[in-house]
Amino acid sequence: MSTLTIVGTPIGNLGDMSPRAVETLRTVDFIAAEDTRVTMKLLSHFGISKPLVSYYEHNRRERGEQIVARILGGESCALVTDAGMPAVSDPGGELVEQCRDAGVPVVCVPGPSALITAYALSGLGETRFTFEGFLSVSKSSRREHLDSLRSERRAMIFYEAPHKLRNTLDDFAAVFGDARPIFLARELTKLHEEGVKTTIGEAVAHYKEHDPRGEYVLIVWGKPESEPDEDSSKPDPVAIARAYVEDGMSVSEAAKRAAKETGSPRGKIYSALLAEQ
């Protein structure tokens, strides 16, 4: 039986492609790629010509079954993403699971990882962190996610797109406070690579005056051990309700749902929302 090989690819600089990764892509029967156009450029750079099949968020279940069937039929497949390690904040994890469920061997050719690269550049130097990936595009889901991290003592690593950065930094400030240290890394391994350690408040102010450019890795320092867990660490019911309103819910329904989730008086939340209108 053939195998599925997870292949890490460069996150920017093509010089980071490993010899083993190149050899794997040369020898497999076909390649499953997040965006075949991006992968075609990578293959062309290394003089490789292989059949490509698209495998991404919106076709992963059906296409995954097709890929597994081909491997069971004797073909070998390499799984790549546009940049970095497949199956990390990437639908490739589902393909790996489908292969294992079908008894297909899975191996990995490790490669560059944006989160590890940024963490090394941050100088934080701790042995523990939590990887949170991309936050939801839904305001309410995003705030719920961040509220669950209010008392997190470990560093928190997030991925973020430039067009969402300002809103995410605003949410960070609301949940973690302006003074919390943050490291912002962008365009890693590329010509305009940048890594800046600052505070959340300073980052918010900076990006009000400057347009975000490139893909970001954000590292937020954990809550200091010297800072006790207090009631202030509990989710803000008005903030939760406000997020629901921004997602299109009525003020009344938002206040009702936030009250149910937090145990706070519905009337108080409702009045606070009306005062903001």
Side-chain angles (χ1 to χ4, degrees):
M1 182 186 299
S2 295
T3 63
L4 173 73
T5 304
I6 304 167
V7 179
T9 57
I11 57 178
N13 191 320
L14 292 178
D16 294 333
M17 188 77 167
S18 75
R20 183 182 171 206
V22 172
E23 182 61 21
T24 298
L25 296 183
R26 288 189 194 281
T27 56
V28 294
D29 293 306
F30 70 102
I31 299 169
E34 179 182 6
D35 187 328
T36 56
R37 296 165 299 181
V38 172
T39 300
M40 186 65 74
K41 293 178 182 178
L42 177 71
L43 297 180
S44 177
H45 178 82
F46 290 102
I48 300 171
S49 178
K50 286 290 174 179
L52 295 172
V53 297
S54 64
Y55 178 86
Y56 58 96
E57 178 67 26
H58 300 296
N59 74 351
R60 66 184 189 276
R61 172 52 59 178
E62 179 181 357
R63 188 56 54 82
E65 293 174 353
Q66 296 170 1
I67 292 170
V68 171
R70 290 181 64 173
I71 298 174
L72 289 173
E75 295 183 85
S76 58
C77 174
L79 171 66
V80 299
T81 187
D82 288 350
M85 283 299 300
V88 179
S89 276
D90 174 81
E94 187 166 332
L95 178 59
V96 172
E97 184 177 24
Q98 285 176 291
C99 284
R100 294 205 183 281
D101 288 344
V104 171
V106 180
V107 297
C108 183
V109 178
S113 169
L115 75 98
I116 296 300
T117 303
Y119 195 69
L121 288 171
S122 74
L124 191 57
E126 298 182 3
T127 57
R128 301 178 65 208
F129 61 83
T130 172
F131 177 55
E132 302 297 326
F134 287 100
L135 292 168
S136 172
V137 295
S138 163
K139 179 76 172 179
S140 57
S141 296
R142 188 164 67 249
R143 285 300 297 271
E144 182 179 356
H145 183 166
L146 293 175
D147 278 333
S148 73
L149 298 172
R150 283 179 182 271
S151 296
E152 179 57 64
R153 301 289 188 183
R154 297 168 295 180
M156 296 159 281
I157 304 180
F158 302 85
Y159 286 163
E160 195 53 279
H163 67 280
K164 293 167 53 185
L165 181 69
R166 287 175 173 143
N167 287 338
T168 295
L169 291 175
D170 286 340
D171 287 339
F172 283 176
V175 174
F176 303 124
D178 289 339
R180 186 76 68 88
I182 184 174
F183 182 79
L184 300 94
R186 70 179 188 90
E187 297 290 85
L188 288 171
T189 77
K190 299 178 183 178
L191 180 63
H192 299 293
E193 175 182 308
E194 181 181 44
V196 176
K197 180 185 176 183
T198 182
T199 65
I200 291 174
E202 290 171 345
V204 169
H206 175 82
Y207 283 105
K208 283 183 179 177
E209 302 296 329
H210 301 84
D211 290 333
R213 297 181 183 278
E215 299 296 319
Y216 284 79
V217 181
L218 309 173
I219 303 178
V220 179
W221 268 234
K223 187 175 183 179
E225 294 289 344
S226 59
E227 185 178 333
D229 292 327
E230 300 174 348
D231 287 344
S232 60
S233 67
K234 295 180 180 179
D236 179 355
V238 177
I240 292 174
R242 186 187 304 119
Y244 283 133
V245 171
E246 292 176 357
D247 277 347
M249 192 176 291
S250 70
V251 172
S252 177
E253 182 61 28
K256 181 179 178 181
R257 181 173 295 188
K260 183 177 180 180
E261 292 179 5
T262 65
S264 300
R266 175 187 174 280
K268 183 177 179 180
I269 300 172
Y270 183 76
S271 296
L273 289 177
L274 288 182
E276 294 177 356
Q277 299 293 310

